[in-house]
PDB file of all heavy atoms in Angstrom:
ATOM      1  N   PHE A 273      77.176 -70.336   5.907  1.00  0.00           N
ATOM      2  CA  PHE A 273      77.858 -69.341   6.723  1.00  0.00           C
ATOM      3  C   PHE A 273      76.918 -68.353   7.409  1.00  0.00           C
ATOM      4  O   PHE A 273      77.374 -67.486   8.150  1.00  0.00           O
ATOM      5  CB  PHE A 273      78.892 -68.581   5.901  1.00  0.00           C
ATOM      6  CG  PHE A 273      80.096 -69.398   5.536  1.00  0.00           C
ATOM      7  CD1 PHE A 273      80.682 -69.264   4.286  1.00  0.00           C
ATOM      8  CD2 PHE A 273      80.654 -70.292   6.432  1.00  0.00           C
ATOM      9  CE1 PHE A 273      81.806 -70.008   3.939  1.00  0.00           C
ATOM     10  CE2 PHE A 273      81.769 -71.038   6.103  1.00  0.00           C
ATOM     11  CZ  PHE A 273      82.343 -70.901   4.851  1.00  0.00           C
ATOM     12  N   ALA A 274      75.618 -68.474   7.204  1.00  0.00           N
ATOM     13  CA  ALA A 274      74.662 -67.576   7.863  1.00  0.00           C
ATOM     14  C   ALA A 274      74.839 -67.541   9.380  1.00  0.00           C
ATOM     15  O   ALA A 274      74.769 -66.465   9.982  1.00  0.00           O
ATOM     16  CB  ALA A 274      73.236 -67.950   7.476  1.00  0.00           C
ATOM     17  N   PRO A 275      75.116 -68.678  10.037  1.00  0.00           N
ATOM     18  CA  PRO A 275      75.321 -68.635  11.494  1.00  0.00           C
ATOM     19  C   PRO A 275      76.543 -67.814  11.921  1.00  0.00           C
ATOM     20  O   PRO A 275      76.642 -67.420  13.075  1.00  0.00           O
ATOM     21  CB  PRO A 275      75.503 -70.106  11.873  1.00  0.00           C
ATOM     22  CG  PRO A 275      74.836 -70.870  10.776  1.00  0.00           C
ATOM     23  CD  PRO A 275      75.038 -70.047   9.539  1.00  0.00           C
ATOM     24  N   LYS A 276      77.438 -67.548  11.006  1.00  0.00           N
ATOM     25  CA  LYS A 276      78.612 -66.731  11.338  1.00  0.00           C
ATOM     26  C   LYS A 276      78.198 -65.325  11.759  1.00  0.00           C
ATOM     27  O   LYS A 276      78.918 -64.657  12.488  1.00  0.00           O
ATOM     28  CB  LYS A 276      79.574 -66.647  10.144  1.00  0.00           C
ATOM     29  CG  LYS A 276      80.233 -67.942   9.793  1.00  0.00           C
ATOM     30  CD  LYS A 276      81.432 -68.119  10.648  1.00  0.00           C
ATOM     31  CE  LYS A 276      82.262 -69.299  10.192  1.00  0.00           C
ATOM     32  NZ  LYS A 276      83.254 -69.634  11.201  1.00  0.00           N
ATOM     33  N   ARG A 277      77.026 -64.890  11.299  1.00  0.00           N
ATOM     34  CA  ARG A 277      76.529 -63.564  11.672  1.00  0.00           C
ATOM     35  C   ARG A 277      76.388 -63.459  13.180  1.00  0.00           C
ATOM     36  O   ARG A 277      76.772 -62.462  13.784  1.00  0.00           O
ATOM     37  CB  ARG A 277      75.192 -63.301  10.990  1.00  0.00           C
ATOM     38  CG  ARG A 277      74.619 -61.931  11.301  1.00  0.00           C
ATOM     39  CD  ARG A 277      73.293 -61.730  10.552  1.00  0.00           C
ATOM     40  NE  ARG A 277      72.799 -60.391  10.719  1.00  0.00           N
ATOM     41  CZ  ARG A 277      71.948 -60.010  11.675  1.00  0.00           C
ATOM     42  NH1 ARG A 277      71.501 -60.878  12.551  1.00  0.00           N
ATOM     43  NH2 ARG A 277      71.550 -58.765  11.765  1.00  0.00           N
ATOM     44  N   ALA A 278      75.843 -64.501  13.811  1.00  0.00           N
ATOM     45  CA  ALA A 278      75.668 -64.499  15.267  1.00  0.00           C
ATOM     46  C   ALA A 278      77.018 -64.446  15.970  1.00  0.00           C
ATOM     47  O   ALA A 278      77.172 -63.783  17.000  1.00  0.00           O
ATOM     48  CB  ALA A 278      74.888 -65.736  15.702  1.00  0.00           C
ATOM     49  N   GLU A 279      77.995 -65.114  15.396  1.00  0.00           N
ATOM     50  CA  GLU A 279      79.350 -65.094  15.958  1.00  0.00           C
ATOM     51  C   GLU A 279      79.913 -63.676  15.934  1.00  0.00           C
ATOM     52  O   GLU A 279      80.486 -63.202  16.921  1.00  0.00           O
ATOM     53  CB  GLU A 279      80.222 -66.029  15.100  1.00  0.00           C
ATOM     54  CG  GLU A 279      81.573 -66.334  15.619  1.00  0.00           C
ATOM     55  CD  GLU A 279      82.282 -67.294  14.665  1.00  0.00           C
ATOM     56  OE1 GLU A 279      81.785 -68.400  14.426  1.00  0.00           O
ATOM     57  OE2 GLU A 279      83.356 -66.895  14.158  1.00  0.00           O
ATOM     58  N   LEU A 280      79.721 -62.995  14.817  1.00  0.00           N
ATOM     59  CA  LEU A 280      80.185 -61.620  14.688  1.00  0.00           C
ATOM     60  C   LEU A 280      79.422 -60.698  15.634  1.00  0.00           C
ATOM     61  O   LEU A 280      80.004 -59.801  16.248  1.00  0.00           O
ATOM     62  CB  LEU A 280      80.033 -61.157  13.233  1.00  0.00           C
ATOM     63  CG  LEU A 280      80.616 -59.809  12.865  1.00  0.00           C
ATOM     64  CD1 LEU A 280      82.096 -59.707  13.213  1.00  0.00           C
ATOM     65  CD2 LEU A 280      80.401 -59.544  11.383  1.00  0.00           C
ATOM     66  N   GLN A 281      78.131 -60.933  15.797  1.00  0.00           N
ATOM     67  CA  GLN A 281      77.325 -60.145  16.735  1.00  0.00           C
ATOM     68  C   GLN A 281      77.874 -60.256  18.150  1.00  0.00           C
ATOM     69  O   GLN A 281      77.972 -59.260  18.864  1.00  0.00           O
ATOM     70  CB  GLN A 281      75.875 -60.622  16.725  1.00  0.00           C
ATOM     71  CG  GLN A 281      75.111 -60.249  15.499  1.00  0.00           C
ATOM     72  CD  GLN A 281      73.713 -60.856  15.509  1.00  0.00           C
ATOM     73  OE1 GLN A 281      73.395 -61.747  16.280  1.00  0.00           O
ATOM     74  NE2 GLN A 281      72.877 -60.377  14.605  1.00  0.00           N
ATOM     75  N   GLN A 282      78.207 -61.457  18.547  1.00  0.00           N
ATOM     76  CA  GLN A 282      78.738 -61.671  19.895  1.00  0.00           C
ATOM     77  C   GLN A 282      80.034 -60.891  20.103  1.00  0.00           C
ATOM     78  O   GLN A 282      80.264 -60.335  21.173  1.00  0.00           O
ATOM     79  CB  GLN A 282      78.958 -63.162  20.161  1.00  0.00           C
ATOM     80  CG  GLN A 282      77.686 -63.944  20.396  1.00  0.00           C
ATOM     81  CD  GLN A 282      76.831 -63.346  21.486  1.00  0.00           C
ATOM     82  OE1 GLN A 282      75.755 -62.821  21.228  1.00  0.00           O
ATOM     83  NE2 GLN A 282      77.281 -63.393  22.714  1.00  0.00           N
ATOM     84  N   GLU A 283      80.868 -60.859  19.084  1.00  0.00           N
ATOM     85  CA  GLU A 283      82.129 -60.111  19.187  1.00  0.00           C
ATOM     86  C   GLU A 283      81.859 -58.622  19.361  1.00  0.00           C
ATOM     87  O   GLU A 283      82.510 -57.954  20.159  1.00  0.00           O
ATOM     88  CB  GLU A 283      83.013 -60.369  17.958  1.00  0.00           C
ATOM     89  CG  GLU A 283      83.527 -61.787  17.857  1.00  0.00           C
ATOM     90  CD  GLU A 283      84.363 -62.199  19.057  1.00  0.00           C
ATOM     91  OE1 GLU A 283      85.187 -61.397  19.538  1.00  0.00           O
ATOM     92  OE2 GLU A 283      84.179 -63.350  19.527  1.00  0.00           O
ATOM     93  N   LEU A 284      80.901 -58.100  18.625  1.00  0.00           N
ATOM     94  CA  LEU A 284      80.557 -56.681  18.745  1.00  0.00           C
ATOM     95  C   LEU A 284      79.997 -56.378  20.136  1.00  0.00           C
ATOM     96  O   LEU A 284      80.377 -55.382  20.755  1.00  0.00           O
ATOM     97  CB  LEU A 284      79.536 -56.280  17.680  1.00  0.00           C
ATOM     98  CG  LEU A 284      79.062 -54.828  17.747  1.00  0.00           C
ATOM     99  CD1 LEU A 284      80.212 -53.860  17.522  1.00  0.00           C
ATOM    100  CD2 LEU A 284      77.955 -54.582  16.753  1.00  0.00           C
ATOM    101  N   ILE A 285      79.140 -57.233  20.622  1.00  0.00           N
ATOM    102  CA  ILE A 285      78.556 -57.042  21.946  1.00  0.00           C
ATOM    103  C   ILE A 285      79.649 -57.052  23.011  1.00  0.00           C
ATOM    104  O   ILE A 285      79.637 -56.229  23.936  1.00  0.00           O
ATOM    105  CB  ILE A 285      77.470 -58.101  22.206  1.00  0.00           C
ATOM    106  CG1 ILE A 285      76.259 -57.785  21.315  1.00  0.00           C
ATOM    107  CG2 ILE A 285      77.085 -58.164  23.665  1.00  0.00           C
ATOM    108  CD1 ILE A 285      75.255 -58.910  21.204  1.00  0.00           C
ATOM    109  N   LYS A 286      80.619 -57.925  22.861  1.00  0.00           N
ATOM    110  CA  LYS A 286      81.748 -57.953  23.803  1.00  0.00           C
ATOM    111  C   LYS A 286      82.498 -56.626  23.784  1.00  0.00           C
ATOM    112  O   LYS A 286      82.949 -56.150  24.826  1.00  0.00           O
ATOM    113  CB  LYS A 286      82.718 -59.090  23.452  1.00  0.00           C
ATOM    114  CG  LYS A 286      82.236 -60.452  23.832  1.00  0.00           C
ATOM    115  CD  LYS A 286      83.302 -61.477  23.446  1.00  0.00           C
ATOM    116  CE  LYS A 286      82.781 -62.883  23.509  1.00  0.00           C
ATOM    117  NZ  LYS A 286      83.770 -63.855  23.013  1.00  0.00           N
ATOM    118  N   LEU A 287      82.629 -56.031  22.604  1.00  0.00           N
ATOM    119  CA  LEU A 287      83.323 -54.737  22.515  1.00  0.00           C
ATOM    120  C   LEU A 287      82.613 -53.680  23.354  1.00  0.00           C
ATOM    121  O   LEU A 287      83.250 -52.913  24.063  1.00  0.00           O
ATOM    122  CB  LEU A 287      83.415 -54.271  21.060  1.00  0.00           C
ATOM    123  CG  LEU A 287      84.448 -54.955  20.198  1.00  0.00           C
ATOM    124  CD1 LEU A 287      84.341 -54.459  18.757  1.00  0.00           C
ATOM    125  CD2 LEU A 287      85.848 -54.720  20.737  1.00  0.00           C
ATOM    126  N   TYR A 288      81.310 -53.640  23.234  1.00  0.00           N
ATOM    127  CA  TYR A 288      80.551 -52.671  24.037  1.00  0.00           C
ATOM    128  C   TYR A 288      80.855 -52.869  25.528  1.00  0.00           C
ATOM    129  O   TYR A 288      81.053 -51.904  26.253  1.00  0.00           O
ATOM    130  CB  TYR A 288      79.050 -52.830  23.805  1.00  0.00           C
ATOM    131  CG  TYR A 288      78.514 -52.139  22.580  1.00  0.00           C
ATOM    132  CD1 TYR A 288      78.481 -52.780  21.349  1.00  0.00           C
ATOM    133  CD2 TYR A 288      77.992 -50.854  22.659  1.00  0.00           C
ATOM    134  CE1 TYR A 288      77.960 -52.150  20.236  1.00  0.00           C
ATOM    135  CE2 TYR A 288      77.473 -50.220  21.556  1.00  0.00           C
ATOM    136  CZ  TYR A 288      77.457 -50.871  20.342  1.00  0.00           C
ATOM    137  OH  TYR A 288      76.954 -50.243  19.237  1.00  0.00           O
ATOM    138  N   THR A 289      80.871 -54.133  25.976  1.00  0.00           N
ATOM    139  CA  THR A 289      81.083 -54.387  27.406  1.00  0.00           C
ATOM    140  C   THR A 289      82.522 -54.111  27.826  1.00  0.00           C
ATOM    141  O   THR A 289      82.777 -53.887  29.002  1.00  0.00           O
ATOM    142  CB  THR A 289      80.708 -55.836  27.783  1.00  0.00           C
ATOM    143  OG1 THR A 289      81.547 -56.754  27.091  1.00  0.00           O
ATOM    144  CG2 THR A 289      79.247 -56.114  27.483  1.00  0.00           C
ATOM    145  N   GLN A 290      83.434 -54.112  26.892  1.00  0.00           N
ATOM    146  CA  GLN A 290      84.829 -53.802  27.219  1.00  0.00           C
ATOM    147  C   GLN A 290      85.051 -52.302  27.380  1.00  0.00           C
ATOM    148  O   GLN A 290      85.950 -51.885  28.093  1.00  0.00           O
ATOM    149  CB  GLN A 290      85.766 -54.337  26.139  1.00  0.00           C
ATOM    150  CG  GLN A 290      85.855 -55.836  26.130  1.00  0.00           C
ATOM    151  CD  GLN A 290      86.642 -56.353  24.940  1.00  0.00           C
ATOM    152  OE1 GLN A 290      87.120 -55.601  24.108  1.00  0.00           O
ATOM    153  NE2 GLN A 290      86.778 -57.660  24.854  1.00  0.00           N
ATOM    154  N   PHE A 291      84.248 -51.511  26.714  1.00  0.00           N
ATOM    155  CA  PHE A 291      84.463 -50.074  26.723  1.00  0.00           C
ATOM    156  C   PHE A 291      83.488 -49.296  27.597  1.00  0.00           C
ATOM    157  O   PHE A 291      83.687 -48.109  27.820  1.00  0.00           O
ATOM    158  CB  PHE A 291      84.428 -49.532  25.288  1.00  0.00           C
ATOM    159  CG  PHE A 291      85.575 -50.015  24.454  1.00  0.00           C
ATOM    160  CD1 PHE A 291      85.389 -51.007  23.511  1.00  0.00           C
ATOM    161  CD2 PHE A 291      86.854 -49.510  24.637  1.00  0.00           C
ATOM    162  CE1 PHE A 291      86.441 -51.458  22.744  1.00  0.00           C
ATOM    163  CE2 PHE A 291      87.917 -49.962  23.879  1.00  0.00           C
ATOM    164  CZ  PHE A 291      87.709 -50.944  22.927  1.00  0.00           C
ATOM    165  N   PHE A 292      82.418 -49.966  28.043  1.00  0.00           N
ATOM    166  CA  PHE A 292      81.421 -49.288  28.860  1.00  0.00           C
ATOM    167  C   PHE A 292      81.075 -50.133  30.072  1.00  0.00           C
ATOM    168  O   PHE A 292      81.052 -51.356  29.998  1.00  0.00           O
ATOM    169  CB  PHE A 292      80.130 -49.049  28.063  1.00  0.00           C
ATOM    170  CG  PHE A 292      80.275 -48.058  26.956  1.00  0.00           C
ATOM    171  CD1 PHE A 292      80.461 -48.482  25.656  1.00  0.00           C
ATOM    172  CD2 PHE A 292      80.226 -46.700  27.212  1.00  0.00           C
ATOM    173  CE1 PHE A 292      80.593 -47.572  24.627  1.00  0.00           C
ATOM    174  CE2 PHE A 292      80.358 -45.778  26.189  1.00  0.00           C
ATOM    175  CZ  PHE A 292      80.543 -46.216  24.887  1.00  0.00           C
ATOM    176  N   THR A 293      80.774 -49.459  31.158  1.00  0.00           N
ATOM    177  CA  THR A 293      80.280 -50.166  32.341  1.00  0.00           C
ATOM    178  C   THR A 293      78.829 -50.560  32.075  1.00  0.00           C
ATOM    179  O   THR A 293      78.179 -50.032  31.160  1.00  0.00           O
ATOM    180  CB  THR A 293      80.331 -49.267  33.594  1.00  0.00           C
ATOM    181  OG1 THR A 293      79.398 -48.190  33.417  1.00  0.00           O
ATOM    182  CG2 THR A 293      81.729 -48.745  33.858  1.00  0.00           C
ATOM    183  N   GLU A 294      78.324 -51.430  32.920  1.00  0.00           N
ATOM    184  CA  GLU A 294      76.924 -51.838  32.775  1.00  0.00           C
ATOM    185  C   GLU A 294      75.998 -50.633  32.905  1.00  0.00           C
ATOM    186  O   GLU A 294      75.040 -50.479  32.136  1.00  0.00           O
ATOM    187  CB  GLU A 294      76.586 -52.896  33.821  1.00  0.00           C
ATOM    188  CG  GLU A 294      75.175 -53.418  33.707  1.00  0.00           C
ATOM    189  CD  GLU A 294      74.886 -54.560  34.670  1.00  0.00           C
ATOM    190  OE1 GLU A 294      75.820 -55.150  35.240  1.00  0.00           O
ATOM    191  OE2 GLU A 294      73.683 -54.846  34.856  1.00  0.00           O
ATOM    192  N   GLN A 295      76.295 -49.750  33.851  1.00  0.00           N
ATOM    193  CA  GLN A 295      75.450 -48.567  34.042  1.00  0.00           C
ATOM    194  C   GLN A 295      75.520 -47.645  32.826  1.00  0.00           C
ATOM    195  O   GLN A 295      74.505 -47.086  32.401  1.00  0.00           O
ATOM    196  CB  GLN A 295      75.837 -47.808  35.320  1.00  0.00           C
ATOM    197  CG  GLN A 295      74.885 -46.682  35.655  1.00  0.00           C
ATOM    198  CD  GLN A 295      73.444 -47.161  35.817  1.00  0.00           C
ATOM    199  OE1 GLN A 295      73.163 -48.084  36.585  1.00  0.00           O
ATOM    200  NE2 GLN A 295      72.516 -46.554  35.087  1.00  0.00           N
ATOM    201  N   GLU A 296      76.696 -47.464  32.274  1.00  0.00           N
ATOM    202  CA  GLU A 296      76.828 -46.623  31.082  1.00  0.00           C
ATOM    203  C   GLU A 296      76.020 -47.203  29.917  1.00  0.00           C
ATOM    204  O   GLU A 296      75.375 -46.454  29.168  1.00  0.00           O
ATOM    205  CB  GLU A 296      78.297 -46.484  30.686  1.00  0.00           C
ATOM    206  CG  GLU A 296      79.093 -45.626  31.650  1.00  0.00           C
ATOM    207  CD  GLU A 296      80.590 -45.683  31.408  1.00  0.00           C
ATOM    208  OE1 GLU A 296      81.098 -46.695  30.851  1.00  0.00           O
ATOM    209  OE2 GLU A 296      81.273 -44.716  31.794  1.00  0.00           O
ATOM    210  N   LEU A 297      76.055 -48.512  29.777  1.00  0.00           N
ATOM    211  CA  LEU A 297      75.273 -49.159  28.719  1.00  0.00           C
ATOM    212  C   LEU A 297      73.777 -48.935  28.942  1.00  0.00           C
ATOM    213  O   LEU A 297      73.049 -48.610  27.994  1.00  0.00           O
ATOM    214  CB  LEU A 297      75.587 -50.655  28.656  1.00  0.00           C
ATOM    215  CG  LEU A 297      76.990 -51.000  28.136  1.00  0.00           C
ATOM    216  CD1 LEU A 297      77.342 -52.442  28.449  1.00  0.00           C
ATOM    217  CD2 LEU A 297      77.079 -50.721  26.647  1.00  0.00           C
ATOM    218  N   LYS A 298      73.329 -49.076  30.185  1.00  0.00           N
ATOM    219  CA  LYS A 298      71.917 -48.843  30.505  1.00  0.00           C
ATOM    220  C   LYS A 298      71.533 -47.395  30.225  1.00  0.00           C
ATOM    221  O   LYS A 298      70.458 -47.116  29.687  1.00  0.00           O
ATOM    222  CB  LYS A 298      71.631 -49.200  31.963  1.00  0.00           C
ATOM    223  CG  LYS A 298      71.630 -50.691  32.223  1.00  0.00           C
ATOM    224  CD  LYS A 298      71.386 -50.998  33.685  1.00  0.00           C
ATOM    225  CE  LYS A 298      71.397 -52.501  33.922  1.00  0.00           C
ATOM    226  NZ  LYS A 298      71.148 -52.854  35.309  1.00  0.00           N
ATOM    227  N   ASP A 299      72.426 -46.464  30.583  1.00  0.00           N
ATOM    228  CA  ASP A 299      72.160 -45.048  30.330  1.00  0.00           C
ATOM    229  C   ASP A 299      72.090 -44.757  28.830  1.00  0.00           C
ATOM    230  O   ASP A 299      71.240 -43.975  28.382  1.00  0.00           O
ATOM    231  CB  ASP A 299      73.237 -44.171  30.975  1.00  0.00           C
ATOM    232  CG  ASP A 299      73.197 -44.188  32.496  1.00  0.00           C
ATOM    233  OD1 ASP A 299      72.189 -44.668  33.071  1.00  0.00           O
ATOM    234  OD2 ASP A 299      74.188 -43.735  33.113  1.00  0.00           O
ATOM    235  N   ALA A 300      72.974 -45.372  28.076  1.00  0.00           N
ATOM    236  CA  ALA A 300      72.970 -45.174  26.624  1.00  0.00           C
ATOM    237  C   ALA A 300      71.675 -45.715  26.016  1.00  0.00           C
ATOM    238  O   ALA A 300      71.066 -45.071  25.157  1.00  0.00           O
ATOM    239  CB  ALA A 300      74.184 -45.851  25.989  1.00  0.00           C
ATOM    240  N   VAL A 301      71.250 -46.892  26.451  1.00  0.00           N
ATOM    241  CA  VAL A 301      69.988 -47.471  25.975  1.00  0.00           C
ATOM    242  C   VAL A 301      68.842 -46.512  26.295  1.00  0.00           C
ATOM    243  O   VAL A 301      67.993 -46.229  25.435  1.00  0.00           O
ATOM    244  CB  VAL A 301      69.748 -48.868  26.595  1.00  0.00           C
ATOM    245  CG1 VAL A 301      68.316 -49.332  26.365  1.00  0.00           C
ATOM    246  CG2 VAL A 301      70.734 -49.882  26.030  1.00  0.00           C
ATOM    247  N   ALA A 302      68.821 -46.007  27.522  1.00  0.00           N
ATOM    248  CA  ALA A 302      67.761 -45.076  27.926  1.00  0.00           C
ATOM    249  C   ALA A 302      67.786 -43.823  27.046  1.00  0.00           C
ATOM    250  O   ALA A 302      66.734 -43.341  26.605  1.00  0.00           O
ATOM    251  CB  ALA A 302      67.920 -44.700  29.396  1.00  0.00           C
ATOM    252  N   PHE A 303      68.978 -43.307  26.763  1.00  0.00           N
ATOM    253  CA  PHE A 303      69.086 -42.116  25.918  1.00  0.00           C
ATOM    254  C   PHE A 303      68.525 -42.376  24.527  1.00  0.00           C
ATOM    255  O   PHE A 303      67.765 -41.566  23.991  1.00  0.00           O
ATOM    256  CB  PHE A 303      70.535 -41.637  25.807  1.00  0.00           C
ATOM    257  CG  PHE A 303      70.709 -40.602  24.727  1.00  0.00           C
ATOM    258  CD1 PHE A 303      70.262 -39.309  24.913  1.00  0.00           C
ATOM    259  CD2 PHE A 303      71.285 -40.934  23.500  1.00  0.00           C
ATOM    260  CE1 PHE A 303      70.381 -38.350  23.909  1.00  0.00           C
ATOM    261  CE2 PHE A 303      71.416 -39.989  22.499  1.00  0.00           C
ATOM    262  CZ  PHE A 303      70.970 -38.694  22.703  1.00  0.00           C
ATOM    263  N   TYR A 304      68.907 -43.485  23.913  1.00  0.00           N
ATOM    264  CA  TYR A 304      68.466 -43.759  22.551  1.00  0.00           C
ATOM    265  C   TYR A 304      66.975 -44.054  22.455  1.00  0.00           C
ATOM    266  O   TYR A 304      66.417 -44.086  21.363  1.00  0.00           O
ATOM    267  CB  TYR A 304      69.286 -44.881  21.919  1.00  0.00           C
ATOM    268  CG  TYR A 304      70.637 -44.378  21.470  1.00  0.00           C
ATOM    269  CD1 TYR A 304      71.801 -44.804  22.090  1.00  0.00           C
ATOM    270  CD2 TYR A 304      70.749 -43.456  20.434  1.00  0.00           C
ATOM    271  CE1 TYR A 304      73.038 -44.328  21.685  1.00  0.00           C
ATOM    272  CE2 TYR A 304      71.971 -42.964  20.027  1.00  0.00           C
ATOM    273  CZ  TYR A 304      73.117 -43.412  20.653  1.00  0.00           C
ATOM    274  OH  TYR A 304      74.336 -42.929  20.254  1.00  0.00           O
ATOM    275  N   LYS A 305      66.327 -44.232  23.589  1.00  0.00           N
ATOM    276  CA  LYS A 305      64.873 -44.408  23.604  1.00  0.00           C
ATOM    277  C   LYS A 305      64.145 -43.071  23.750  1.00  0.00           C
ATOM    278  O   LYS A 305      62.930 -43.014  23.602  1.00  0.00           O
ATOM    279  CB  LYS A 305      64.470 -45.366  24.717  1.00  0.00           C
ATOM    280  CG  LYS A 305      64.874 -46.808  24.420  1.00  0.00           C
ATOM    281  CD  LYS A 305      64.447 -47.739  25.524  1.00  0.00           C
ATOM    282  CE  LYS A 305      64.775 -49.182  25.178  1.00  0.00           C
ATOM    283  NZ  LYS A 305      64.325 -50.112  26.225  1.00  0.00           N
ATOM    284  N   THR A 306      64.894 -41.986  24.024  1.00  0.00           N
ATOM    285  CA  THR A 306      64.284 -40.656  24.133  1.00  0.00           C
ATOM    286  C   THR A 306      64.037 -40.107  22.729  1.00  0.00           C
ATOM    287  O   THR A 306      64.619 -40.585  21.746  1.00  0.00           O
ATOM    288  CB  THR A 306      65.203 -39.673  24.889  1.00  0.00           C
ATOM    289  OG1 THR A 306      66.376 -39.433  24.090  1.00  0.00           O
ATOM    290  CG2 THR A 306      65.584 -40.193  26.268  1.00  0.00           C
ATOM    291  N   PRO A 307      63.200 -39.068  22.613  1.00  0.00           N
ATOM    292  CA  PRO A 307      62.975 -38.464  21.288  1.00  0.00           C
ATOM    293  C   PRO A 307      64.275 -37.982  20.629  1.00  0.00           C
ATOM    294  O   PRO A 307      64.484 -38.200  19.437  1.00  0.00           O
ATOM    295  CB  PRO A 307      62.033 -37.294  21.584  1.00  0.00           C
ATOM    296  CG  PRO A 307      61.282 -37.735  22.803  1.00  0.00           C
ATOM    297  CD  PRO A 307      62.294 -38.512  23.623  1.00  0.00           C
ATOM    298  N   LEU A 308      65.157 -37.347  21.407  1.00  0.00           N
ATOM    299  CA  LEU A 308      66.422 -36.891  20.842  1.00  0.00           C
ATOM    300  C   LEU A 308      67.282 -38.078  20.401  1.00  0.00           C
ATOM    301  O   LEU A 308      67.886 -38.051  19.319  1.00  0.00           O
ATOM    302  CB  LEU A 308      67.198 -36.031  21.845  1.00  0.00           C
ATOM    303  CG  LEU A 308      68.573 -35.543  21.370  1.00  0.00           C
ATOM    304  CD1 LEU A 308      68.460 -34.727  20.080  1.00  0.00           C
ATOM    305  CD2 LEU A 308      69.246 -34.743  22.471  1.00  0.00           C
TER     306      LEU A 308
END
């Protein structure tokens, strides 16, 4: 069942794309790379 982890990951990633635009996701990534 170890490969099931990747299946669950894909579902989580889909959730992010359902709730955020591509630009919002890019902005969030940029924020989390800052010191704060």
Side-chain angles (χ1 to χ4, degrees):
F273 289 141
K276 293 275 189 192
R277 181 179 186 268
E279 190 179 301
L280 187 55
Q281 287 175 346
Q282 286 306 111
E283 293 301 318
L284 178 62
I285 289 166
K286 284 181 193 175
L287 284 176
Y288 277 89
T289 63
Q290 290 172 359
F291 293 104
F292 292 99
T293 66
E294 182 175 345
Q295 187 58 53
E296 289 170 335
L297 290 165
K298 287 178 180 181
D299 292 347
V301 167
F303 168 74
Y304 282 113
K305 289 181 176 182
T306 67
L308 178 58

